[in-house]
Amino acid sequence: MVIPDLARNPGLADFVAQTRTVMADHPGTTEPVPDQSLHLTVQPLGFPGRDRVDSAARAQLITELECTLAEVPAFDLLIGSALVGHRGVVADTHHDDGFNLLLDRVRPVIAAVCGPEAIVYDSRPAHMALCYAGGHGSSDDLQRQLRRRVRPGHATLTVRAVDLVETVQVPDRCRYDSTVLHRFTLATTEAPATTPDAISTGVSV
C-alpha cells in the first residue's frame, strides 16, 4: 500500500478535505476514510486457506524486496478526480509509469517467495479509496456535487518509500486499518522532486 503523509502533501490534503465536506452531506458517505487509513494498494498478498505470511517467508520477502526496491526510483502520481461507484468514492491515479514499474518489480519477487497464488490480484489502475459506502443515496447527485465543489479535482503525491503492512478490515467504521511491518526506501532521483514527498505503504506491499 501507499499511505500518504498529508502534512507533506498539502495539495492532496486539501483535495481530501474538500471531498469529505461534500460527502458529509450525502447519506451513503458519512464515514469517510480517516487520514491514517488512506492508502493506495500496491500488491495484496493472497493465500488460499490462510490469512498471513509466516515469519520465515516474511523475513525472506523483506530481504528480497529490500534489494529490488532500492533500485526503483521515487515517483509522482496525480490523484483524482473523485469517482462515485456502488461501493463508495475513490480517486484514480494518473501518470502511472512509476507505479506500474514498482508493481512490475515487486510481483515476481513475491511470487518467487510466496508462490504464484499470492499475486493473483493486480491492483492496476491504482486508486485511493476516500469512502466506502455505508448507506444509500443518489450516486449521480454525489458525483455531480464532487465535480462542482472539489476544485481543483486532483492533487500530486510523491512516493519515496513503500511499506510492507498487515491490514485488517474494520466493518463498523467502513474502512481498513494497517500496521507497518517494514519500510523500503526507493531510489532517489537525480533531479529533486518539485512537490512535497509522501510515505507509502502496502499483508500488502
Side-chain angles (χ1 to χ4, degrees), residues 93-110:
T93 67
H94 307 276
H95 309 315
D96 290 335
D97 287 352
F99 181 89
N100 291 337
L101 174 62
L102 172 65
L103 194 54
D104 288 341
R105 294 297 300 275
V106 302
R107 282 172 60 84
V109 175
I110 295 169

Side-chain angles (χ1 to χ4, degrees), residues 6-190:
L6 297 182
R8 304 184 73 178
N9 289 266
L12 182 59
D14 181 59
F15 168 76
V16 170
Q18 289 188 63
T19 63
R20 287 175 180 161
T21 298
V22 174
M23 293 187 298
D25 296 332
H26 192 273
T29 52
T30 56
E31 288 278 357
V33 177
D35 289 355
Q36 68 272 19
S37 298
L38 290 169
H39 66 272
L40 298 170
T41 297
V42 178
Q43 179 60 54
L45 277 63
F47 300 95
R50 56 194 174 101
D51 61 359
R52 62 182 60 209
V53 184
D54 62 46
S55 58
R58 179 189 297 178
Q60 184 182 357
L61 189 60
I62 288 172
T63 298
E64 298 292 337
L65 286 175
E66 194 83 68
C67 297
T68 297
L69 292 175
E71 299 178 351
V72 176
F75 58 91
D76 287 349
L77 287 173
L78 189 68
I79 311 289
S81 300
L83 303 172
V84 182
H86 71 282
R87 298 181 61 186
V89 180
V90 302
D92 276 349
T93 67
H94 307 276
H95 309 315
D96 290 335
D97 287 352
F99 181 89
N100 291 337
L101 174 62
L102 172 65
L103 194 54
D104 288 341
R105 294 297 300 275
V106 302
R107 282 172 60 84
V109 175
I110 295 169
V113 174
C114 303
E117 69 277 6
I119 60 165
V120 171
Y121 178 79
D122 191 312
S123 60
R124 287 172 280 208
H127 58 278
M128 180 180 292
L130 301 173
C131 188
Y132 298 98
H136 302 281
S138 170
S139 58
D140 288 347
D141 179 63
L142 178 57
Q143 184 68 76
R144 185 165 52 251
Q145 290 300 317
L146 287 168
R147 182 168 180 259
R148 289 178 177 175
R149 295 169 56 187
V150 179
R151 313 299 296 179
H154 58 270
T156 300
L157 170 65
T158 298
V159 179
R160 295 182 182 274
V162 178
D163 293 345
L164 179 70
V165 309
E166 190 168 58
T167 300
V168 296
Q169 188 176 16
V170 188
D172 60 326
R173 301 306 301 272
C174 301
R175 72 172 193 245
Y176 295 85
D177 288 347
S178 298
T179 300
V180 175
L181 303 176
H182 188 83
R183 176 160 295 156
F184 305 95
T185 301
L186 302 182
T188 56
T189 54
E190 293 183 4

